[in-house]
Amino acid sequence: MDSGQFIPLLAEKGITLSGEQKQQFETYYEWLVDWNNKMNLTAITEKGEVYLKHFYDSLTAAFFTDFNGPLHVCDVGAGAGFPGIPLKICFPEIRLSIVDSLQKRITFLGHLTEALGLKQVFLFHDRAETFAKKPEHREQYDVVTARAVARMSVLSELCLPLVKPGGRFIAMKAQHAKEELEKAEKAIRLLGGQTENVYNFTLPVEESERNLIVVKKVKKTPKKYPRKPGTPTKLPLE
């Protein structure tokens, strides 16, 4: 996929890019490749693949959930900024918080957001387990996203405590989402969530499978969750 395909494919989904937004994606690609020479941000650096597997893939969350308006969005474990930064480029009214456990990635994202001219982007170097315990973040977000960070039972414990009641947690998955979700249903209920929808689709061009799991927050998360750093991964709520 090149930028010439990217733009009309987004338009088909109702996302129309301005000249400035198109340039922001070009700049994003250039910065990603440049910084990737200094640190390991992504194994994907060929331009067509970045546009498909990072930019377009990140935006699939907006094909099924409305990101228009001043939503407060938190992206957990964003790495090189996916899906948060592509969503922010296309929906500039959102307030975006990104939390990642590696300082070097947060440093990259700080320079990137400045280069892209993005406002209302807040970057946090923290573990998701401790971040979600802080009163200024706990149950404060309309939408929480996570893309290929961990299996669903673990992700639910890291992300649902950040979602305000009535808000949504969107997990972006490749294959095996159904099996992961079956094992995670106990955790989702325990943490105050309810599975609302599962969207299965394929990326254009290469036809690889993708899944979006949308969980609605229906009640507050018990105070003891998330457990201390490392515990959700070692002892998932399954």
Side-chain angles (χ1 to χ4, degrees), residues 17 25 52 68 77 111 156:
L17 300 184
F25 278 111
L52 175 65
N68 287 290
H111 289 290
S156 297

Side-chain angles (χ1 to χ4, degrees), residues 150-177:
R151 66 184 187 268
M152 191 65 193
S153 54
V154 177
L155 274 187
S156 297
E157 186 169 355
L158 301 180
C159 295
L160 275 170
L162 294 165
V163 183
K164 62 172 62 171
R168 284 166 177 80
F169 162 42
I170 302 175
M172 307 180 74
K173 292 285 182 181
Q175 299 173 322
H176 312 303

